[in-house]
Amino acid sequence: MLSIYPDLDNLRIYGSEYANILMVKIKNPFWKDVVKHYKKLYHRCCPLNIDEFMSEYIHYNVNITRDKKIVYIKDWIDNGIVLIRQLLGPHGEYLNFNDFTNQFPHIKMNFLVYEGIITAIKKYQKKVNIELSVRFSCLDTKVWTIIQRGNKAVQTALDKSEAVPAAVNKWNKIYNSPLNWKKIFTKTRKTTLDTQLRWFQLRILHRILPTNKYLCMCRIVESACCSFCKQEEETISHLFWHCDIVQVFWAKLKTALNESCENCVEPIFTETLVLFGVKENVVTDRVIDLIIILAKYYIFKCKLQGSTPIAKIFIKSLKQRYIVEKYASLVCNRNHSFNLEWLPYLKLTQAD
Ligand SMILES: [Zn+2]
């Protein structure tokens, strides 16, 4: 990524407002989205103690402004002055102008500008209600500490917000009624530990899966037409449900399930069950949830490979998947519950 967008590296020395510059520069919609979410996460990272406050960035920090403008001083950056703690003296006090010029004699600095920045930092410090102290730990900046802790920490930090993801509003609008999103997102986590599958399902939920409609909007492909039927616009709902060719796939998969599994006597597949893994008044088990995600993943792979989704081929791949899952359950010492879960589907995993 850094070889394509070297400026991304600047997020390690600048505050969140730099993300705005990046979002203009970056053309790839996925990475643009990543930067957008970085900014969102950054704003959730309000400093709560002196250690975190001292690790805040000086430049491009929306909380440190002079005349309503963010701070950006190239000379400081070139000399590595990017964090608040670098403006402190040995006794835990902000350096005054003379101390600063003595410490950095080669940096040309105007008295008023310097005092203005220190005043802005003090104002921010007052706003977050943090007392100065001589002792503080030199931590990594809060946002990066969270990112380094991993996906779960990032998710927890983002989940604190009440904000509804834009995609959720869009889906609700399409279906004309709010879906049970808590259940939908929880199900995605619970269905599989496979990060590739989870990420795939999350891209569907967040409407960032590259369908032809999306790619056409980004000017990556010329036509928004469906890869299978070549007639309708390829949206997420069309690709995984409405397309005639995909409908045949689901119908055949349903027949195969009805014939081989005791659990699946009802006609099970519906649009919301296929797309989101939930259907009103219907309880599904973990295996069928997994089969649905795998089937979508298979459909998507067919789209990328330019082939047609065929239920028989998918069921064959399920057998392979069963072996992998079984092995994983052995390794995790949950073989017993695995056998129980898959019991109703054994015929399916053994069919020719
Ligand atoms: Zn189609």
Side-chain angles (χ1 to χ4, degrees):
M1 260 317 285
L2 288 177
S3 65
I4 307 169
Y5 300 114
D7 290 344
L8 267 179
D9 211 20
N10 289 337
L11 288 176
R12 291 295 236 155
I13 51 169
Y14 297 149
S16 66
E17 291 314 282
Y18 188 71
N20 297 343
I21 295 179
L22 284 178
M23 279 190 273
V24 174
K25 278 189 183 173
I26 294 177
K27 299 287 174 246
N28 177 307
F30 171 76
W31 288 105
K32 209 189 254 275
D33 212 44
V34 171
V35 173
K36 191 175 117 192
H37 282 84
Y38 169 86
K39 188 179 168 186
K40 211 174 185 181
L41 178 68
Y42 191 105
H43 285 270
R44 304 260 184 284
C45 298
C46 178
L48 298 175
N49 52 49
I50 182 78
D51 307 333
E52 289 174 2
F53 181 75
M54 286 303 161
S55 316
E56 284 265 306
Y57 296 120
I58 301 167
H59 312 274
Y60 289 103
N61 186 338
V62 74
N63 295 305
I64 302 173
T65 54
R66 279 182 63 240
D67 302 330
K68 293 185 180 161
K69 281 188 194 137
I70 47 138
V71 173
Y72 170 77
I73 300 169
K74 194 175 174 301
D75 236 7
W76 285 24
I77 294 156
D78 291 345
N79 284 281
I81 307 171
V82 292
L83 302 172
I84 292 180
R85 65 169 175 257
Q86 292 169 298
L87 297 177
L88 289 203
H91 307 296
E93 292 291 315
Y94 291 110
L95 295 171
N96 64 33
F97 182 67
N98 284 337
D99 291 339
F100 181 85
T101 44
N102 285 337
Q103 200 164 324
F104 304 101
H106 45 289
I107 296 181
K108 274 189 197 132
M109 194 72 222
N110 172 308
F111 172 80
L112 284 177
V113 174
Y114 183 79
E115 286 301 320
I117 293 172
I118 295 295
T119 309
I121 294 174
K122 284 180 180 166
K123 214 165 132 190
Y124 176 37
Q125 184 199 329
K126 205 172 160 193
K127 191 177 137 198
V128 287
N129 199 13
I130 285 168
E131 298 263 331
L132 268 199
S133 113
V134 190
R135 283 162 182 262
F136 56 83
S137 321
C138 294
L139 304 178
D140 206 348
T141 307
K142 194 169 181 183
V143 63
W144 285 102
T145 311
I146 290 177
I147 291 170
Q148 273 148 11
R149 259 189 240 144
N151 282 347
K152 201 166 180 191
V154 170
Q155 198 179 359
T156 312
L158 285 176
D159 277 354
K160 269 189 219 152
S161 92
E162 295 296 311
V164 181
V168 162
N169 286 331
K170 248 189 182 157
W171 283 123
N172 285 343
K173 215 168 149 191
I174 291 172
Y175 291 100
N176 237 338
S177 70
L179 294 152
N180 187 344
W181 287 100
K182 201 172 171 204
K183 191 172 164 194
I184 291 170
F185 280 105
T186 313
K187 222 168 190 189
T188 307
R189 270 200 300 276
K190 285 196 173 161
T191 302
T192 177
L193 291 173
D194 184 330
T195 45
Q196 198 177 18
L197 281 184
R198 275 188 186 180
W199 174 229
F200 170 73
Q201 178 62 12
L202 281 175
R203 282 192 293 171
I204 293 177
L205 300 183
H206 286 287
R207 303 176 61 85
I208 51 169
L209 196 75
T211 57
N212 285 350
K213 185 186 176 188
Y214 188 83
L215 294 172
C216 190
M217 240 157 52
C218 304
R219 296 187 188 164
I220 295 169
V221 298
E222 276 180 14
S223 161
C225 265
C226 168
S227 311
F228 300 136
C229 67
K230 316 249 187 293
Q231 285 175 6
E232 309 262 333
E233 192 177 53
E234 190 183 278
T235 59
I236 289 177
S237 323
H238 178 85
L239 182 67
F240 294 115
W241 182 250
H242 291 291
C243 180
D244 289 344
I245 290 168
V246 174
Q247 275 291 314
V248 173
F249 170 85
W250 288 114
K252 292 215 164 134
L253 181 61
K254 188 195 116 189
T255 311
L257 283 166
N258 284 357
E259 282 169 3
S260 54
C261 313
E262 299 140 36
N263 280 18
C264 310
V265 278
E266 294 277 314
I268 50 164
F269 298 126
T270 62
E271 186 175 351
T272 59
L273 184 67
V274 162
L275 289 178
F276 310 117
V278 297
K279 184 179 164 187
E280 224 176 300
N281 303 324
V282 169
V283 181
T284 52
D285 59 46
R286 205 188 65 86
V287 175
I288 196 72
D289 292 338
L290 180 67
I291 290 176
I292 291 172
I293 294 189
L294 285 169
K296 278 183 292 188
Y297 196 64
Y298 167 73
I299 293 170
F300 192 66
K301 249 176 28 193
C302 288
K303 165 195 152 56
L304 296 180
Q305 290 164 354
S307 57
T308 304
I310 294 166
K312 242 187 179 167
I313 297 177
F314 169 67
I315 292 166
K316 254 192 183 160
S317 75
L318 258 188
K319 283 179 221 167
Q320 205 52 43
R321 182 76 193 196
Y322 171 77
I323 296 166
V324 175
E325 295 271 326
K326 194 179 169 77
Y327 177 74
S329 79
L330 274 170
V331 174
C332 305
N333 213 3
R334 47 179 298 276
N335 196 23
H336 181 66
S337 59
F338 174 86
N339 285 338
L340 282 178
E341 275 175 356
W342 280 84
L343 193 62
Y345 300 91
L346 275 187
K347 245 167 127 184
L348 193 72
T349 61
Q350 283 155 11
D352 294 324

